[in-house]
């Protein structure tokens, strides 16, 4: 009886559900009460570890019951999970994890593991600690420890270096560069002794190999579905290439609350300064984090931070920043600082519907900062306790500081500091203090005079003088002209935003046509289908070129921040459409729409497209592999969600007069399942590659961080979805479609929710929960409505496999 229950599919899915729900609850406990409390109540609690043990027994029982051991690829990756869990148990119960602190010139063999101190059988002596910063910046680029290993028991002594992503392994212990003392005279090394590492890595290897072989094994479920898809007839459509005519960025709204003199100045500055501002934007600047880039790029970033717009009152970013620096007193009375919440607008004394404030709005008659006390209180709150008001308050405070620095020219670090060991560049004020070059002083003064007096034609010569000064004194860090010109061109093109509109429009038209062809069951010329795939391929090549350019500009794979990963998810979605779903009009349309949605969303809200330098821990090849694989899976899951919605719409449309729709539903379900299988394979491999990265970088596979925990939850959710077909009494295409839509919310929680919801669930200004945006209610309500309307028609007719239709 116990064996029968333990080896059942129902028990398997139930155990999965307990693990997933428990982990989800744990992330909310951590958000409110801290990680230690979450680990005590959930992750390391007896009931959660018992559930993991029972899941392992269930998997072993199912393998035996179904004789899975006869299928080499299937047993390879299913058995891998048992081995990985066994390795994890060895690490958890018998491993050592702690920190060793050493000052320069001293030695130590003490590892602090929580409240315990453990002596290792050898010493490490810190000879030198070196911290390298980005040029002209305080941001760490790399830090390393030169140590001597002293093993008196074995009469061994040797020197070595430990730095981020380069560890020391000796005597069964691994040492990782983690942190350092404030005075940069001491190092902090993570220490790890892991008796389960070999077992765990064997499990990883089996898992990766098994999952990949399963995709090509002719007896696998995936290949069975692919054979079904190949038999499906095709429908496609030729669409107009005139979409590019509507791809321009919409004009930004103008504020009209300026004085007549200000309006006259702004109008003249807008009309006459464009060419000079363009030349001004081509000057190289050293950013706060040390990246060398065109001033045009920094100006765009500043304007985007201030207004969330790419243009302002018909002016580009270069015109705005040049004007601010040349005429600060005038620009302090211009409404250009974005304020989002009505509460904050009321505190500033501006109209409730006024989206932008001027610099002078933030100070009262006594020159006191109106929101100073509120900002101080918000800064003292941990990020998880900040609500909508607090987050807006801190963002507005940041904008005020940025615009103040723009008025003073503090961010215009365009002058190399002569004989600087760190290749530091300085602003106008510091340049006048430190250089004896009278020519550059004279040129910069005349440039400002020309802009102030609106004699823009007289400024070009002085900008050229600044560029020559940079080439003479800053050649060590000055980027090559080709890279600078390419970055300027790339910034002006606004490539990815325009591409998002193309994807959305093309995908929507293709979806409408595909649904219409299903509804009327009409045949489509195969040549038209080939042209449609060719057009999509052109879009894909443009997308590829955009990613390659951003990689070249930044000097590393564009996968280091939210914006870049969203663009990459869109890329993987189109990749899935071309190479997997091109035989299906609906599948191709779904992949294009998902790509468009992800890129378009990257330009909304709090997501910053800025290219920045990498922090030291991210300088690892494991980063590029881990992030690229895991984010690629999101594109497949997004396609699956849209295909699920299309399937539900077909349930709503079907009736006795349209029996062919049942066949379309079955076909799309096959396509959906294939996309989700690929997505799950990528997600599993990506997550475990992340475990390798973490273990090789700081000696820990898994830390139950909310981000990685929700990725783990997503694996469980999609594992349940893809195994639900084994419960034949309840499985149906309607259930599969419904779950494929609902499951995508776990991906949204992984990608957005952890950053933007768990990061601030309550407002400390009012004590009330943070209001959920209206669009979330509309989206969830629409999905639930479609599911409910389709429910009465959920029963599926048995379809004739020989019955062929024109569209899948």
């Amino acid at each position: 009886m116990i064996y029968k229950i333990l080896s059942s599919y129902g028990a398997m899915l139930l155990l999965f559900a307990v693990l997933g729900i428990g982990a989800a609850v744990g992330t909310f406990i951590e958000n409110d009460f801290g990680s230690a409390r979450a680990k005590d109540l959930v992750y390391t609690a007896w009931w959660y570890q018992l559930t993991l043990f029972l899941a392992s027994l269930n998997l072993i029982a199912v393998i035996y019951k179904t004789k899975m051991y006869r299928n080499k690829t299937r047993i390879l990756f299913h058995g891998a999970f048992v081995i990985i869990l066994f390795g994890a148990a060895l690490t958890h119960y018998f491993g050592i994890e702690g920190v060793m602190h050493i000052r320069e010139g001293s030695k130590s063999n003490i590892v602090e593991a929580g409240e315990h101190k453990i002596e290792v059988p050898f010493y490490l002596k810190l000879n030198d600690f070196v911290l390298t910063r980005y040029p002209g910046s305080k941001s760490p680029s790399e830090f390393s420890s030169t140590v001597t290993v002293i093993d008196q028991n074995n009469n061994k002594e040797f020197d070595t270096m430990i730095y981020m992503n380069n560890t020391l392994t000796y005597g069964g212990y691994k040492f990782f560069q983690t942190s350092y003392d404030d005075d940069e005279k001491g190092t902090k090394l993570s220490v790890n002794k892991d008796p389960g590492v070999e077992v765990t890595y064997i499990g990883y290897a089996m898992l990766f190999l098994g999952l990949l072989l399963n995709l090509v094994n002719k007896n696998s479920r995936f290949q069975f579905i692919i054979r079904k898809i190949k038999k499906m007839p095709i429908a496609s459509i030729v669409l107009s290439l005139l979409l590019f005519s509507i791809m321009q960025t919409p004009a930004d709204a103008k504020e009209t609350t300026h004085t007549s003199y200000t309006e006259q100045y702004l109008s003249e500055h807008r009309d006459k300064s464009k060419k000079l501002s363009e030349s001004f934007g081509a000057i190289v600047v050293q950013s706060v984090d040390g990246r060398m880039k065109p001033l045009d790029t920094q100006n765009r970033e500043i304007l985007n931070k201030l207004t969330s717009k790419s243009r302002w009152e018909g002016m580009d970013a270069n015109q705005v920043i040049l004007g601010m620096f040349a005429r600060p007193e005038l620009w302090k009375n211009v409404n250009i600082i974005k304020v989002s919440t009505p509460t904050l607008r009321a505190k500033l004394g501006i109209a409730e519907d006024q989206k932008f404030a001027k610099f002078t709005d933030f100070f009262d008659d006594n020159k006191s900062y109106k929101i100073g006390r509120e900002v101080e209180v918000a800064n003292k709150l941990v990020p998880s306790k900040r609500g909508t008001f607090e987050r807006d308050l801190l963002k507005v405070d940041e904008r005020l500081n940025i615009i103040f620095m723009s008025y003073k020219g503090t961010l215009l670090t365009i002058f190399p500091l002569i004989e600087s060991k760190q290749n530091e560049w300085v602003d106008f004020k510091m340049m006048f203090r430190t250089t004896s070059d009278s020519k550059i002083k004279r040129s910069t003064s005349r440039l400002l005079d020309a802009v102030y007096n609106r004699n823009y034609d007289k400024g070009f010569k002085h900008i050229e003088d600044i560029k020559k000064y940079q080439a003479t004194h800053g050649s060590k860090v000055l980027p090559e002209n080709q890279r600078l010109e390419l970055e300027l061109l790339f910034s002006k093109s606004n490539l990815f935003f325009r591409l998002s509109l193309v994807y959305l429009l093309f995908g929507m038209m293709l979806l409408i046509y595909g649904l219409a062809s299903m509804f009327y069951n009409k045949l489509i010329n195969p040549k038209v289908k080939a042209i449609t795939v060719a057009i999509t391929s052109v879009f894909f090549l443009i997308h590829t070129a955009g990613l390659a350019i951003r990689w070249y500009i930044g000097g590393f794979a564009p996968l280091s921040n939210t914006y870049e990963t969203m663009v990459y998810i869109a890329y993987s979605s189109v990749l899935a459409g071309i190479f997997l779903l091109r035989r299906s009009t609906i599948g191709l349309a779904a992949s294009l729409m998902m790509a468009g949605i992800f890129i378009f969303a990257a330009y909304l809200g709090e997501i910053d497209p800025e290219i920045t330098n990498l922090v030291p821990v991210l300088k690892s090849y494991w980063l590029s592999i881990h992030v690229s694989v895991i984010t690629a899976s999101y594109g497949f899951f997004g396609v699956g969600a849209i295909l699920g919605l299309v399937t539900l719409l077909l349930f709503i449309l079907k009736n006795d007069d349209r029996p062919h729709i049942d066949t379309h539903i079955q076909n799309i379900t096959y396509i959906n399942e294939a996309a989700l299988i690929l997505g799950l394979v990528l997600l599993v491999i990506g997550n475990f590659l992340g475990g390798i990265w973490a273990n090789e970088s700081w000696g820990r596979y898994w830390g139950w961080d909310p981000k990685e925990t929700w990725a783990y939850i997503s694996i469980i959710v999609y594992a349940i979805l893809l195994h639900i077909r084994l419960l034949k009494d309840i499985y149906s295409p309607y259930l599969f479609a419904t779950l494929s839509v609902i499951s995508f919310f776990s991906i949204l929680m992984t990608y957005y929710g952890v950053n933007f919801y768990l990061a601030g669930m309550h407002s400390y200004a009012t004590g009330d929960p943070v209001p959920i945006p209206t669009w979330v209610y509309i989206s969830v309500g629409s999905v639930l409505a479609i599911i409910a309307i389709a429910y009465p028609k959920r029963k599926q007719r048995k379809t004739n496999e020989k019955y062929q239709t024109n569209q899948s």
Side-chain angles (χ1 to χ4, degrees):
M1 181 65 179
I2 295 177
Y3 170 75
K4 185 176 181 180
I5 295 174
L6 192 60
S7 63
S8 67
Y9 297 131
M12 176 181 69
L13 298 182
L14 178 61
L15 290 168
F16 279 180
V18 172
L19 291 172
I21 294 171
V25 171
T27 62
F28 289 92
I29 294 175
E30 177 175 350
N31 183 74
D32 291 336
F33 304 103
S35 58
R37 191 64 172 160
K39 289 180 180 179
D40 289 341
L41 294 178
V42 181
Y43 307 132
T44 59
W46 67 268
W47 67 268
Y48 201 81
Q49 295 190 37
L50 176 62
T51 306
L52 284 169
F53 177 70
L54 291 176
S56 301
L57 292 181
N58 170 261
L59 183 54
I60 294 171
V62 169
I63 289 173
Y64 179 77
K65 177 183 177 181
T66 60
K67 296 181 174 58
M68 192 185 297
Y69 46 81
R70 295 180 179 177
N71 187 311
K72 295 180 181 178
T73 58
R74 199 172 298 171
I75 186 61
L76 199 59
F77 73 84
H78 281 89
F81 288 106
V82 177
I83 293 175
I84 291 171
L85 285 172
F86 178 65
L90 291 176
T91 300
H92 179 71
Y93 291 108
F94 303 104
I96 296 174
E97 183 177 352
V99 176
M100 179 180 287
H101 178 225
I102 320 173
R103 296 287 294 176
E104 281 188 353
S106 302
K107 64 180 181 180
S108 176
N109 70 335
I110 303 298
V111 176
E112 297 180 6
E115 298 178 354
H116 305 285
K117 292 186 177 182
I118 301 171
E119 291 188 6
V120 299
F122 53 89
Y123 287 87
L124 291 187
K125 180 184 177 182
L126 179 61
N127 300 317
D128 188 27
F129 176 81
V130 178
L131 173 63
T132 304
R133 303 183 188 275
Y134 284 107
S137 168
K138 293 184 179 180
S139 301
S141 172
E142 291 181 328
F143 42 91
S144 62
S145 301
T146 302
V147 300
T148 300
V149 178
I150 304 172
D151 186 351
Q152 297 174 346
N153 295 331
N154 296 305
N155 294 320
K156 289 185 177 181
E157 185 173 320
F158 60 91
D159 295 334
T160 188
M161 284 186 66
I162 306 172
Y163 51 90
M164 197 62 68
N165 301 313
N166 186 76
T167 61
L168 164 66
T169 302
Y170 185 78
Y173 294 86
K174 293 186 77 171
F175 297 83
F176 307 82
Q177 183 66 68
T178 303
S179 186
Y180 51 89
D181 293 345
D182 293 338
D183 62 359
E184 301 176 19
K185 297 294 183 181
T187 189
K188 295 178 182 178
L189 305 174
S190 291
V191 185
N192 178 293
K193 186 174 185 180
D194 184 1
V197 64
E198 291 83 4
V199 176
T200 301
Y201 278 1
I202 289 172
Y204 285 2
M206 290 174 57
L207 178 65
F208 298 162
L209 183 62
L211 287 172
L212 294 175
L213 289 178
N214 190 62
L215 295 178
V216 297
N217 183 359
K218 65 179 181 180
N219 296 321
S220 68
R221 174 72 180 176
F222 181 76
Q223 284 297 321
F224 167 79
I225 294 171
I226 293 299
R227 289 193 291 272
K228 293 288 186 181
I229 294 174
K230 287 181 177 180
K231 295 179 181 179
M232 299 176 189
I234 311 301
S236 299
I237 184 175
V238 174
L239 298 177
S240 172
L241 290 176
L242 295 179
L243 293 172
F244 286 98
S245 64
I246 59 174
M247 291 192 303
Q248 300 300 319
T249 305
D252 298 324
K254 297 183 180 180
E255 297 291 336
T256 58
T257 57
H258 313 304
T259 64
S260 58
Y261 176 77
T262 303
E263 289 177 349
Q264 179 185 353
Y265 161 78
L266 292 175
S267 176
E268 188 173 349
H269 184 69
R270 179 182 62 241
D271 297 337
K272 296 183 178 181
S273 68
K274 186 167 181 58
K275 289 185 178 179
L276 181 65
S277 298
E278 185 176 352
S279 180
F280 175 68
I283 297 173
V284 177
V285 65
Q286 187 180 76
S287 66
V288 176
D289 66 356
R291 191 171 91 83
M292 310 303 298
K293 57 189 178 184
L295 191 54
D296 173 88
T297 300
Q298 178 169 287
N299 292 341
R300 289 172 184 272
E301 293 162 358
I302 292 173
L303 185 61
N304 182 60
K305 285 182 180 293
L306 293 177
T307 67
S308 297
K309 298 176 183 291
S310 58
R311 297 179 65 84
W312 184 84
E313 296 222 359
M315 288 180 273
D316 61 33
N318 295 318
Q319 291 176 286
V320 172
I321 303 306
L322 182 60
M324 283 183 179
F325 183 46
R327 301 291 297 270
E329 293 305 319
L330 187 147
W331 281 84
K332 287 180 181 179
N333 291 290
V334 173
N335 294 321
I336 196 171
I337 303 172
K338 182 180 178 182
V339 181
S340 300
T341 56
T343 304
L344 184 52
R345 293 171 190 163
K347 287 184 177 294
L348 295 175
I350 63 176
E352 187 175 339
D353 60 347
Q354 185 176 325
K355 296 181 180 180
F356 296 90
K358 52 184 174 288
F359 184 82
T360 54
D361 287 330
F362 290 85
F363 302 91
D364 59 23
D365 295 337
N366 297 320
K367 307 298 182 183
S368 297
Y369 189 23
K370 292 181 181 179
I371 56 174
R373 187 180 63 83
E374 289 84 353
V375 169
E376 185 178 352
V377 172
N379 271 315
K380 290 180 179 178
L381 295 172
V382 295
S384 62
K385 301 299 183 183
R386 295 171 186 161
T388 303
F389 171 75
E390 288 81 15
R391 292 200 300 272
D392 187 39
L393 184 70
L394 294 178
K395 282 191 169 293
V396 169
D397 181 67
E398 179 190 20
R399 292 177 189 131
L400 196 70
N401 281 286
I402 289 172
I403 202 169
F404 182 67
M405 289 189 287
S406 298
Y407 295 148
K408 295 183 64 177
T410 306
L411 298 175
L412 298 177
T413 49
I414 60 176
F415 302 101
L417 185 61
I418 299 175
E419 297 181 356
S420 170
K421 293 182 180 180
Q422 292 187 335
N423 297 309
E424 183 181 359
W425 288 29
V426 296
D427 61 7
F428 283 74
K429 185 177 181 179
M430 186 60 67
M431 181 273 294
F432 276 100
R433 288 182 180 177
T434 57
T435 187
S436 58
D437 191 327
S438 59
K439 182 179 179 181
I440 193 64
K441 290 181 178 180
R442 185 169 57 253
S443 287
T444 52
S445 296
R446 291 178 178 177
L447 171 63
L448 295 178
D449 287 341
V451 178
Y452 182 88
N453 295 310
R454 284 168 276 177
N455 296 321
Y456 301 107
D457 292 340
K458 296 181 179 181
F460 292 98
K461 177 182 181 301
H462 308 306
I463 288 179
E464 291 304 315
D465 288 341
I466 293 174
K467 291 180 179 178
K468 290 177 182 178
Y469 184 83
Q470 290 183 337
T472 302
H473 300 289
S475 57
K476 290 183 179 179
V477 293
L478 196 68
E480 60 269 24
N481 287 332
Q482 181 181 355
R483 177 174 294 186
L484 293 172
E485 291 172 1
L486 186 60
E487 183 166 354
L488 285 168
L489 181 63
F490 184 70
S491 298
K492 292 176 182 177
S493 70
N494 209 4
L495 175 65
F496 291 127
F497 180 78
R498 296 184 177 188
L499 199 58
S500 73
L501 299 182
V502 173
Y503 283 150
L504 284 170
L505 292 171
F506 193 81
M508 180 62 72
M509 295 178 70
L510 199 58
L511 179 64
I512 293 173
Y513 186 86
L515 288 174
S517 67
M518 284 183 173
F519 190 79
Y520 295 107
N521 203 29
K522 291 185 178 180
L523 294 173
I524 300 299
N525 191 325
K527 292 182 179 179
V528 176
K529 166 257 176 184
I531 294 174
T532 304
V533 174
I535 293 172
T536 305
S537 299
V538 171
F539 296 157
F540 178 74
L541 290 175
I542 294 173
H543 199 149
T544 303
L547 289 174
I549 291 171
R550 192 170 173 101
W551 191 331
Y552 174 69
I553 291 171
F556 52 86
L559 297 165
S560 62
N561 58 39
T562 303
Y563 171 84
E564 290 176 341
T565 54
M566 290 181 73
V567 172
Y568 181 76
I569 291 171
Y571 182 76
S572 68
S573 180
V574 181
L575 181 70
I578 293 176
F579 291 99
L580 177 65
L581 308 175
R582 65 181 183 275
R583 295 179 61 85
S584 165
T585 302
I586 297 298
L588 189 60
S591 67
L592 289 169
M593 288 183 64
M594 183 53 58
I597 290 169
F598 263 98
I599 298 179
F600 192 80
Y603 285 88
L604 302 176
E606 303 178 4
I607 298 170
D608 191 349
E610 179 181 356
I611 301 175
T612 60
N613 284 320
L614 286 176
V615 297
V617 72
L618 298 184
K619 293 183 175 181
S620 168
Y621 60 89
W622 287 113
L623 168 72
S624 299
I625 300 173
H626 157 61
V627 176
S628 61
V629 173
I630 199 171
T631 52
S633 70
Y634 297 166
F636 287 89
F637 293 138
V639 170
I642 291 182
L643 290 175
L645 281 173
V646 170
T647 304
L648 293 172
L649 290 174
L650 290 177
F651 271 106
I652 295 173
L653 292 175
K654 77 172 188 174
N655 59 32
D656 293 337
D657 297 330
R658 291 187 284 271
H660 57 277
I661 288 183
D662 285 298
T663 302
H664 292 310
I665 289 173
Q666 186 61 61
N667 290 343
I668 293 178
T669 301
Y670 282 139
I671 297 170
N672 193 356
E673 188 176 352
L676 296 184
I677 288 174
L678 281 173
L680 185 58
V681 168
L682 291 171
L683 183 60
V684 170
I685 292 177
N687 268 275
F688 284 98
L689 283 174
I692 295 174
W693 173 40
N695 190 50
E696 294 302 315
S697 294
W698 53 78
R700 187 192 66 190
Y701 306 94
W702 196 263
W704 295 107
D705 171 84
K707 192 81 170 179
E708 62 189 15
T709 301
W710 270 98
Y712 156 72
I713 293 168
S714 296
I715 290 176
I716 292 175
V717 167
Y718 279 96
I720 292 174
L721 171 57
L722 288 172
H723 288 84
I724 197 75
R725 63 184 176 82
L726 299 176
L727 301 181
K728 301 185 184 299
D729 293 338
I730 65 171
Y731 176 78
S732 69
Y734 169 83
L735 177 63
F736 189 85
T738 299
L739 293 179
S740 68
V741 175
I742 295 174
S743 296
F744 192 62
F745 284 99
S746 70
I747 298 297
L748 295 178
M749 186 65 187
T750 303
Y751 200 75
Y752 292 107
V754 171
N755 292 336
F756 303 118
Y757 182 67
L758 285 181
M761 294 172 55
H762 294 84
S763 172
Y764 272 64
T766 62
D768 298 326
V770 173
I772 297 175
T774 303
W775 65 266
V776 175
Y777 287 112
I778 294 174
S779 301
V780 174
S782 300
V783 168
L784 294 178
I786 292 172
I787 293 173
I789 295 171
Y791 181 77
K793 298 183 178 182
R794 66 190 182 281
K795 292 184 178 179
Q796 178 81 351
R797 294 184 182 88
K798 290 184 178 179
T799 58
N800 185 352
E801 292 291 342
K802 296 181 180 180
Y803 177 68
Q804 298 294 325
T805 61
N806 71 323
Q807 166 68 34
S808 313

